[in-house]
Amino acid sequence: MRYLPHTADEIAAMLEVIGKNSLDELFSTVPEDCRYQGNLNLPEPISEWELNELMSGLSATMGVSPEYKVFIGAGSYEHFIPESVSFLLTRSEFVTSYTPYQPELSQGTLQAMYEYQTLTARLLGMEVANASLYDGASALAEALLMAIRTTRKNRVALSSLIHPLYRRVVQTYLGPTGYDLIELPRLENGTTDLSLLEDLDNLAAVAVQSPNFYGCIEDLEAVGERAHAKDALFIASFTEPLAYGLLKNPGSQGADIVCGEGQSLGIPQSFGGPGLGMFASRMKYVRGMPGRLVGQTTDLNGKRGFVLTLATREQHIRREKATSNICTNNSLCALAAAMYMASLGGRGMRELALLNHDKSEYLKEELRKAGFTISFETPTFNEFVVECPTDFHRTYEHLLAKKIVAGLSLEPYYPELAHHYLLCATETKSKEDMDALVREVIS
Amino acid sequence: MKEVNELQLPDHVRYTEDHEWARVEGEKTKAGINDYAQDQLGDIVYVELPQAGDSFDKGQQFGTVESVKAVAELYMPVGGTILAVNSALEKSPELVNKDPYGDGWMIEVQPSDAAEFEALMIKDVYLETLKGQA
Amino acid sequence: MKESLGTTGLILNEPLLWEKGRRGRSGFSQPRRDVDSRPLDKGLTLDELDLPDLSEVDIVRHYTRLSQWNFGVDTGMYPLGSCTMKYNPKINEKQARVPGFAAAHPLLPPVVSQGALKLMHALERFLAEITGMDAVSLQPAAGAQGELTGMLLIHAFHKSKGMRRSKIIVPDTAHGTNPSSAALCGYSPVPVRSNEQGMLSAEAVAGVMDEDTAGIMVTNPNTLGLFEENIREIAEIVHAKGGLVYGDGANMNAVMGIADMGRAGVDVLHLNLHKTFSTPHGGGGPGSGPVCVKTKLEPYLPVPRVTEEKGRYILSEDFPESIGKVHAFYGNFGVMVKAYSYIRSMGAENLKRASQLAVLNANYMKEMLKGTFHLAYDRPCMHECVFSDKFQHPYKILTLDMAKRLMDYGFHPPTVYFPLVVDGAIMIEPTETESKEDLDLFVEACKAIANEAQQDPERLRQAPQKCKVRRLDETAAARHPCLAG
């Protein structure tokens, strides 16, 4: 097998040095009653060429571009990824290296992560960002736990318009802790109703997503004011960071912690993972922040270099008192995001974000003209909710047969919004694609 | 790291088994970590201290001290209320390394029970415990 | 001695992204605009985004140069104990990039995601088979998240029996993620010491196990590279008082096809796909940490679960006792594709062989180095062995100095200062993908360094000297953190 270099002679020579007669004898310390009985029941090994064919067959069943036109966002966004970024991500010094615990031979990863932290902080308008967490959902859970630790209070308020699957992850993470989770309902216009905050005491944090799950842009400044009036930390979350190429960032609106999903930034959708948990906060809370941090320093010769720092927050030192149990970050994904942001630049990102906005506005307008009601009047970024006829699921199936995935039904997530659909149009959807969708829907 | 006989262990303070020192200054008791502790920890990067007004019993944890690769808990040598903390340590945690008994002091306490100080080890007794440890 | 593997060569300096570029440059091909501009409230938009403007050439040079400052498994031997830095097959990378997988939206209707669901279903079965367990969840995005999931499963199990246990037993050799994952779940870790042979004893566990203890977290083989020989007896003691056994499967590479974790008494186990199953470490991630459980814990697994009926696959939420979700979607599918490809390429016999050769390599390393470095436990080891710097104490040379000097010789240092039970620990895990000649080169380098420790210790204290940077001031980095530019 091409990954196992040992020859029979080498094995014999090595066994002699060790003083054993066979490979089996190396396992004398494994008791009989712990042994695997018989052989592993796995398929026969296949060659590289058979593997290609097998995977080709499996992947051919998937509904992806260019064959399919998929109009879903909801936490996973189709964006063009520059070939230069994909190419650079195959450099094996990035791919096959480990966490940069030995900084002298990991300066590539360390400088790249320092750059990622900086670009993330700038994008989100915050003072410091970490080197990434697993995904937007766990990042939100970590943000809430951080707020609870920092304020020493046990209650948090979360908007019901935060991604429903994120809220479920939060429930799982906070389940055994006994902390109090309050849900903030929505207003008619598709944004968060903050009035419940009036009567809440002992609040550690208020968390709101923008653009929210309906695609609507929340008034983050107002949320910040209300949260701070209650001595709570303001956590702003997001699923579509491209929005911040155009919209006012959470930092400029008073956010204390910002967390969300960075998949849009040069990372393939990959059936939901790996993604990128982006996480940033004010500098004064940095010692309570979870995840890895890269810092700048100098070496013995006074040359600039980078190291992992403030490691005493982390599990390998603090163990049960750590800020989190997290060990890996999503380094390669963070690298992709940095490369992507660097490729776009400030002006480029704004232009692309504007295009996203205008594409989805076009689709919105064409659907309006076709007689559909847009469910919420609040401005949106690149996704929005449409009210459809009660039998729309039939149309949906019909469109699917024509290789058009007409958005996401909200019914499983918001039963009161049955036959409302969440549609997304990014820069990847041409005018023709959108016209085809509308045409098929009408017919 | 220093040998036991290289350590600076002044006579004008008393010692705890957790390598803290304490001395009485009029109505107040001052405390910090001793030369052995700072030497073992290495370069100190951060000290987490309580606030004035907080109260702790003898032996309770009142803060932490961090080096690059380690964290150590800080325990009250005597019980009482915190009167002041050394705010200079926020910008200059290295004071603990350079001058652990002077500029590197950590807390000033209003002791609740004077007898607790008397129960602390004098230098010779503490030195014996260190040698026994070695 | 032959020429050293580590040499010097020209690499280039490269500034930070915002220290280069020019206003107006771009590295992105803006898509054609085929719709009109739509108005957007000025109050919602920001004035200017402060990201550097770079050309495509700027970016390609930047990251090419940065990559050249790194050392990867593809560069040379990377014997990090407990990390299993084995070779990352390139064909597996290709499979993850196949458009049908890479471009797939997680919320596609099941009828157009059959390939992905089938792959996940099959991978679950493979992992259950390899570990000797009954059911699997691929959802946890990393080992530590797998541990948290394991803790949540144990917590849910006890809760369903109307019990509220507050403690969990954690050996002194445990990886830091163990107690921190337990604490996240509200458990207080109860430490238990390993014996002189470096293993857990049944008596020690019996001494702390009670009805308020949820269970025990055991890494097997443990972080000293030793098989926990008393595991079955320990499992019985824990089970007798109603507790569960959590297995940290980070070291699974030593025992595939050889040990059966289910038979050993483990109730829930996590695996690291980025260790045992050859998916790349990526400079720190992404990984994947599936959990494998015995039937009694199956009802609590995270949802949705992939279920199959007459050859059709769906994602089912129909598990009312599930702990919920730890990941927004289904876990790191892109990593699962690589692990699946690995298992299909290796097959049963080669997986077992991989474990045998991993153990062969570690034992060979142990024999070859035991005169050079102090061997912490002179017993047969599994896939890793632990030394210390005791022999070098007379020269005032530490593990750290030797690790830094190894870089000059062209090797990534082993894991140092872990596990904590060995002072100045040096943990070497060669993995099965290292050839005998690479192991021999490594041994030679170690011997040369031990010699230098005696003859020329200052050389070690000044190491590394051939890398892009010399030793870095970590104290200053922690005292005055500079975390963004």
Side-chain angles (χ1 to χ4, degrees):
Chain A
M1 209 284 160
R2 60 201 187 281
Y3 313 142
L4 303 175
H6 299 71
T7 64
D9 287 342
E10 287 173 329
I11 294 173
M14 292 168 79
L15 281 170
E16 206 180 314
V17 166
I18 297 167
K20 298 277 181 196
N21 294 314
S22 71
L23 290 173
D24 281 323
E25 275 183 42
L26 294 170
F27 294 90
S28 54
T29 57
V30 180
E32 235 352 272
D33 54 17
C34 291
R35 290 273 176 160
Y36 204 93
Q37 296 179 302
N39 296 322
L40 292 170
N41 181 15
L42 295 169
E44 281 300 297
I46 55 180
S47 70
E48 183 171 327
W49 331 112
E50 289 167 307
L51 180 66
N52 284 338
E53 216 181 298
L54 171 70
M55 297 305 240
S56 197
L58 284 175
S59 62
T61 66
M62 305 293 292
V64 298
S65 171
E67 228 200 323
Y68 280 74
K69 305 295 174 193
V70 181
F71 287 87
I72 313 177
S76 175
Y77 302 91
E78 190 180 337
H79 290 293
F80 292 131
I81 298 174
E83 186 58 31
S84 52
V85 171
S86 308
F87 174 84
L88 289 166
L89 286 168
T90 62
R91 288 199 67 89
S92 68
E93 297 96 324
F94 285 135
V95 178
T96 68
S97 58
Y98 185 64
T99 307
Y101 289 127
Q102 295 290 358
E104 298 88 349
L105 36 58
S106 338
Q107 286 298 295
T109 298
L110 287 163
Q111 178 165 327
M113 287 302 101
Y114 179 79
E115 290 171 341
Y116 162 78
Q117 284 173 193
T118 302
L119 296 181
T120 299
R122 290 186 190 186
L123 180 71
L124 303 175
M126 302 300 283
E127 290 168 327
V128 59
N130 72 12
S132 79
L133 301 175
Y134 310 131
D135 70 341
S138 58
L140 177 59
E142 295 277 7
L144 292 162
L145 290 171
M146 176 175 163
I148 287 166
R149 273 196 307 274
T150 305
T151 61
R152 292 175 211 226
K153 292 192 260 182
N154 290 348
R155 176 175 293 142
V156 293
L158 271 79
S159 162
S160 57
L161 304 183
I162 290 176
H163 197 301
L165 299 174
Y166 285 25
R167 282 181 287 119
R168 287 180 63 191
V169 170
V170 165
Q171 267 160 356
T172 301
Y173 262 74
L174 268 61
T177 60
Y179 299 131
D180 200 12
L181 268 73
I182 311 280
E183 197 169 272
L184 300 173
R186 71 151 194 281
L187 297 168
E188 280 296 302
N189 68 0
T191 62
T192 307
D193 179 355
L194 300 171
S195 55
L196 265 184
L197 291 179
E198 264 317 301
D199 303 315
L200 284 178
D201 274 317
N202 212 34
L203 209 51
V206 178
V208 171
Q209 178 183 313
S210 182
N212 63 29
F213 189 68
Y214 300 159
C216 297
I217 300 165
E218 297 263 8
D219 182 354
L220 292 180
E221 201 165 337
V223 181
E225 277 163 22
R226 301 289 283 266
H228 295 143
K230 288 281 166 179
D231 276 324
L233 295 184
F234 169 28
I235 298 174
S237 87
F238 59 86
T239 56
E240 173 52 296
L242 190 62
Y244 294 115
L246 176 64
L247 303 176
K248 281 207 176 105
N249 57 49
S252 67
Q253 300 184 76
D256 297 298
I257 304 174
V258 184
C259 56
E261 179 55 53
Q263 172 270 315
S264 283
L265 305 174
I267 298 163
Q269 293 171 276
S270 225
F271 205 55
L276 178 66
M278 304 180 89
F279 196 98
S281 86
R282 292 183 194 266
M283 196 58 189
K284 67 181 185 193
Y285 302 126
V286 75
R287 289 198 134 87
M289 205 193 245
R292 296 195 179 129
L293 283 166
V294 176
Q296 186 177 300
T297 186
T298 48
D299 77 347
L300 285 179
N301 290 335
K303 272 172 72 178
R304 178 170 71 189
F306 300 92
V307 286
L308 288 174
T309 191
L310 299 188
T312 47
R313 296 160 304 119
E314 297 185 68
Q315 47 75 27
H316 57 290
I317 294 174
R318 206 64 92 124
R319 297 175 74 90
E320 67 267 15
K321 296 187 183 148
T323 52
S324 166
N325 73 335
I326 194 167
C327 188
T328 52
N329 57 340
N330 267 18
S331 189
L332 205 61
C333 299
L335 184 61
M339 290 174 176
Y340 179 83
M341 286 192 273
S343 298
L344 275 173
R347 271 140 291 286
M349 202 175 202
R350 191 191 179 89
E351 204 181 320
L352 186 68
L354 267 167
L355 184 59
N356 269 254
H357 171 261
D358 297 340
K359 293 265 191 183
S360 81
E361 288 300 297
Y362 174 79
L363 182 59
K364 227 193 239 183
E365 192 149 316
E366 294 303 300
L367 285 167
R368 261 198 196 107
K369 283 197 244 172
F372 286 82
T373 309
I374 304 303
S375 315
F376 305 111
E377 75 216 18
T378 306
T380 56
F381 177 61
N382 65 6
E383 50 186 340
F384 56 92
V385 183
V386 180
E387 189 177 349
C388 299
T390 46
D391 63 346
F392 190 76
H393 55 276
R394 272 194 262 275
T395 314
Y396 193 94
E397 296 299 316
H398 164 79
L399 283 162
L400 188 57
K402 298 220 162 187
K403 309 210 164 132
I404 300 175
V405 183
L408 182 75
S409 166
L410 289 189
E411 190 173 346
Y413 308 103
Y414 300 91
E416 73 279 17
L417 290 177
H419 53 265
H420 290 245
Y421 282 73
L422 179 63
L423 276 112
C424 176
T426 66
E427 78 277 11
T428 60
K429 298 295 169 285
S430 69
K431 183 171 169 299
E432 289 78 45
D433 295 332
M434 294 189 278
D435 289 340
L437 167 64
V438 177
R439 207 168 44 236
E440 292 297 334
V441 155
I442 297 174
S443 70
Chain B
M1 281 195 237
K2 296 184 189 177
E3 298 292 334
V4 175
N5 54 13
E6 290 171 328
L7 291 171
Q8 284 217 44
L9 300 171
D11 289 303
H12 67 282
V13 302
R14 291 202 178 216
Y15 300 86
T16 71
E17 56 194 16
D18 296 305
H19 318 292
E20 279 114 7
W21 60 264
R23 71 167 171 268
V24 172
E25 287 181 357
E27 296 288 305
K28 306 180 268 191
T29 303
K30 216 167 197 177
I33 62 170
N34 68 28
D35 193 34
Y36 174 79
Q38 73 77 19
D39 184 57
Q40 287 290 307
L41 279 166
D43 287 336
I44 301 215
V45 303
Y46 187 69
V47 187
E48 197 182 342
L49 294 171
Q51 300 205 340
D54 290 342
S55 291
F56 301 95
D57 292 331
K58 176 187 165 94
Q60 244 193 315
Q61 186 188 344
F62 69 85
T64 57
V65 57
E66 293 179 23
S67 65
V68 171
K69 299 265 194 271
V71 188
E73 277 98 40
L74 298 166
Y75 300 103
M76 297 289 276
V78 300
T81 311
I82 306 289
L83 292 169
V85 301
N86 186 355
S87 50
L89 295 183
E90 209 186 306
K91 285 246 159 64
S92 311
E94 61 272 18
L95 289 172
V96 178
N97 295 114
K98 287 190 209 161
D99 190 13
Y101 305 100
D103 291 332
W105 67 274
M106 292 187 176
I107 52 172
E108 241 173 38
V109 183
Q110 171 79 262
S112 48
D113 181 358
E116 285 178 344
F117 180 79
E118 299 305 321
L120 296 176
M121 292 182 269
I122 58 168
K123 173 253 199 71
D124 290 333
V125 176
Y126 173 68
L127 195 50
E128 283 310 304
T129 66
L130 274 187
K131 287 182 184 160
Q133 218 172 259
Chain C
M1 198 188 126
K2 296 199 288 283
E3 196 176 44
S4 167
L5 192 57
T7 183
T8 50
L10 184 65
I11 53 166
L12 305 190
N13 269 319
E14 179 61 22
L16 293 161
L17 285 168
W18 48 91
E19 290 171 344
K20 48 187 284 174
R22 289 285 179 275
R23 193 183 170 81
R25 275 190 196 161
S26 174
F28 189 77
S29 172
Q30 287 286 349
R32 183 175 57 85
R33 178 174 261 285
D34 55 3
V35 294
D36 292 328
S37 273
R38 302 291 150 136
L40 186 59
D41 184 352
K42 278 255 153 31
L44 295 173
T45 60
L46 100 158
D47 294 325
E48 199 173 283
L49 178 60
D50 185 16
L51 294 182
D53 290 348
L54 300 152
S55 71
E56 185 170 322
V57 181
D58 284 332
I59 290 167
V60 172
R61 286 231 170 104
H62 181 82
Y63 286 104
T64 301
R65 288 174 185 169
L66 257 55
S67 74
Q68 290 169 336
W69 305 342
N70 261 16
F71 188 101
V73 173
D74 282 6
T75 314
M77 186 167 152
Y78 219 116
L80 277 178
S82 259
C83 299
T84 312
M85 301 297 290
K86 64 168 83 181
Y87 172 68
N88 309 129
K90 307 313 170 201
I91 194 62
N92 302 347
E93 301 296 302
K94 175 182 167 165
Q95 309 312 340
R97 282 199 296 273
V98 153
F101 292 142
H105 194 292
L107 300 174
L108 282 171
V111 68
V112 287
S113 24
Q114 287 298 295
L117 297 176
K118 184 171 182 185
L119 187 150
M120 287 173 63
H121 193 259
L123 181 60
E124 284 183 12
R125 193 187 77 67
F126 296 163
L127 298 179
E129 177 69 17
I130 291 165
T131 54
M133 307 294 276
D134 302 319
V136 174
S137 169
L138 301 170
Q139 215 183 88
Q145 209 183 44
E147 289 177 39
L148 175 64
T149 306
M151 290 296 102
L152 290 168
L153 291 170
I154 291 176
H155 188 269
F157 176 84
H158 288 304
K159 191 165 178 203
S160 75
K161 310 267 179 273
M163 292 189 280
R164 260 228 112 102
R165 300 192 177 205
S166 67
K167 301 180 289 184
I168 194 141
I169 301 170
V170 181
D172 55 359
T173 50
H175 190 272
T177 48
N178 285 182
S180 59
S181 301
L184 268 178
C185 214
Y187 288 126
S188 300
V190 173
V192 69
R193 298 191 77 161
S194 304
N195 60 21
E196 286 101 57
Q197 283 91 48
M199 295 186 299
L200 289 175
S201 69
E203 298 78 55
V205 175
V208 290
M209 183 64 203
D210 61 23
E211 252 125 47
D212 186 32
T213 304
I216 185 169
M217 299 177 89
V218 191
T219 307
N220 193 17
N222 68 23
T223 59
L224 292 165
L226 307 170
F227 194 85
E228 287 286 4
E229 295 171 33
N230 305 311
I231 178 98
R232 266 193 78 132
E233 211 187 323
I234 288 169
E236 269 156 39
I237 290 168
V238 172
H239 288 148
K241 294 259 165 86
L244 293 172
V245 179
Y246 175 84
D248 180 326
N251 291 332
M252 197 68 203
N253 202 48
V255 291
M256 289 189 285
I258 294 156
D260 182 326
M261 292 304 166
R263 277 189 85 205
V266 174
D267 299 299
V268 47
L269 173 86
H270 91 269
L271 293 168
N272 301 66
L273 296 186
H274 49 291
K275 295 186 182 186
T276 316
F277 297 96
S278 85
T279 75
H281 285 77
S288 174
V291 286
C292 311
V293 301
K294 287 264 175 69
T295 307
K296 64 165 106 107
L297 288 174
E298 194 177 345
Y300 313 104
L301 285 175
V303 284
R305 295 189 59 198
V306 183
T307 57
E308 181 253 335
E309 206 178 302
K310 297 186 206 162
R312 306 298 291 166
Y313 297 89
I314 57 155
L315 286 160
S316 172
E317 296 261 347
D318 192 12
F319 297 92
E321 291 184 274
S322 163
I323 56 171
K325 298 175 71 59
V326 293
H327 188 265
F329 301 110
Y330 323 118
N332 286 344
F333 179 76
V335 177
M336 295 174 209
V337 173
K338 300 179 192 183
Y340 175 85
S341 301
Y342 178 71
I343 295 169
R344 293 301 310 251
S345 303
M346 296 286 274
E349 244 180 77
N350 284 320
L351 285 176
K352 181 171 178 177
R353 196 148 180 83
S355 286
Q356 290 174 324
L357 295 175
V359 173
L360 176 72
N361 275 0
N363 276 284
Y364 179 71
M365 193 67 88
K366 178 169 72 73
E367 287 308 307
M368 296 293 280
L369 286 176
K370 70 195 233 194
T372 310
F373 298 134
H374 169 252
L375 184 62
Y377 295 89
D378 198 351
R379 309 189 68 246
C381 64
M382 296 261 92
H383 64 311
E384 59 196 8
C385 50
V386 181
F387 296 91
S388 84
D389 55 5
K390 207 158 171 194
F391 290 169
Q392 284 73 31
H393 281 176
Y395 319 110
K396 297 229 194 287
I397 285 294
L398 304 169
T399 290
L400 183 72
D401 302 315
M402 297 194 283
K404 298 300 182 191
R405 185 64 176 148
L406 258 171
M407 296 184 209
D408 289 336
Y409 278 86
F411 294 96
H412 191 283
T415 297
V416 293
Y417 300 104
F418 181 79
L420 302 170
V421 294
V422 174
D423 218 29
I426 302 167
M427 188 179 7
I428 299 176
E429 180 185 354
T431 83
E432 73 281 8
T433 56
E434 295 304 324
S435 67
K436 182 174 177 294
E437 62 259 30
D438 281 318
L439 298 182
D440 288 336
L441 267 174
F442 182 79
V443 168
E444 245 183 78
C446 289
K447 291 192 163 156
I449 290 170
N451 198 43
E452 283 176 351
Q454 268 190 48
Q455 312 290 347
D456 187 6
E458 195 51 30
R459 206 92 203 254
L460 271 63
R461 287 190 208 103
Q462 293 302 316
Q465 296 191 306
K466 295 182 185 170
C467 297
K468 181 180 186 282
V469 293
R470 302 286 302 283
R471 286 199 208 183
L472 292 152
D473 190 349
E474 301 194 16
T475 301
R479 279 184 184 159
H480 311 290
C482 173
L483 307 170

